[in-house]
Amino acid sequence: MTKQQLAGIDWHADSHEVARQLIGVTLLVNGVGGRIVETEAYDRDDPASHSFAGPTERNLAMFGPPAHAYVYLSHGIHWCLNVVCREAGHGAGVLIRALEPVTGIDRMMVRRGTDDLRKLCSGPGKLAQALAVTRAMNGAALDAPPFTLLAGAAAVAVVEGPRIGISKAVDVRWRFGLAGSPYVSRPFRSLPVA
DNA sequence: CTTAGGATCGCCT
DNA sequence: GGCGATCCTAAGC
């Protein structure tokens, strides 16, 4: 047993490290999905994290084993998909915020009600709708159906910035993205090349 | 391009 | 009773 397991990711690493490693990884749910282009890290000692106040019925999956899913309902409307990391009991995870549609695009278009590729998975709620992620998948292992996780083909250029839609720890730069991708939820403010 | 408001449910104070 | 790890639409500059 090595640390490098599913999709070539070190699932026991810090959430921001896992979030970075996830960029470029292919994620499928029941065969529908694509390449991850945007993630956000959350951790136990992180006021913006659902796990900050300790285990509850809702966030219990975050305290479960790594490489499993944590799914929650946002604003009573949208499902959002996270992957758990660190070790069981720690309470760290990575929110999958956007992916580049690759496989099952026709099904995503039906579920999302649009033909615009850029609007299929460019946000955590949109992504969950396009991939039909629901609470039934909360706590499920990522190395078995309905999930498929595949390592990226090669090293990719990753950009970072502050997380989106939170009111605490707003200065922490734990949002990661694939450089230049048009499929992110919002542009990354890139620093000019010196 | 930026901002504001509504939808709508469950968790937490 | 308040407030979201969101999204969409409409209106204002």
Side-chain angles (χ1 to χ4, degrees):
Chain A
M1 291 249 300
T2 66
K3 279 188 166 184
Q4 299 285 328
Q5 296 179 2
L6 181 60
I9 287 172
D10 180 3
W11 293 95
H12 296 281
D14 288 346
S15 56
H16 53 271
E17 180 57 32
V18 174
R20 184 187 297 274
Q21 292 180 18
L22 278 166
I23 300 299
V25 167
T26 291
L27 166 67
L28 307 177
V29 177
N30 286 315
V32 175
R35 181 192 198 192
I36 296 172
V37 298
E38 183 181 342
T39 60
E40 276 179 4
Y42 291 88
D43 209 340
R44 175 61 196 270
D45 294 320
D46 170 12
S49 174
H50 288 172
S51 60
F52 183 65
T56 66
E57 192 169 339
R58 172 177 72 154
N59 67 22
L60 197 56
M62 264 190 104
F63 292 89
H68 284 235
Y70 164 49
V71 179
Y72 73 95
L73 185 61
S74 179
H75 290 260
I77 303 174
H78 306 284
W79 296 104
C80 295
L81 172 65
N82 300 254
V83 299
V84 179
C85 64
R86 288 265 193 162
E87 62 279 354
H90 182 90
V94 176
L95 173 66
I96 310 300
R97 285 194 56 91
L99 60 76
E100 175 183 337
V102 176
T103 306
I105 291 176
D106 52 342
R107 296 179 65 186
M108 293 191 227
M109 287 179 171
V110 171
R111 290 165 178 168
R112 290 279 301 123
T114 177
D115 288 347
D116 189 339
L117 268 182
R118 297 194 186 198
K119 294 182 178 175
L120 292 183
C121 301
S122 54
K126 300 180 195 177
L127 183 157
Q129 184 181 29
L131 272 55
V133 171
T134 69
R135 175 143 247 171
M137 299 166 193
N138 188 38
L142 298 177
D143 64 353
F147 293 107
T148 304
L149 227 51
L150 303 169
V156 294
V158 176
V159 291
E160 65 171 51
R163 293 175 291 184
I164 291 178
I166 57 175
S167 58
K168 300 165 186 168
V170 294
D171 292 332
V172 179
R173 298 169 66 84
W174 276 359
R175 176 181 178 234
F176 301 92
L178 178 63
S181 173
Y183 300 102
V184 296
S185 64
R186 283 168 51 176
F188 283 78
R189 182 165 175 169
S190 302
L191 295 174
V193 179

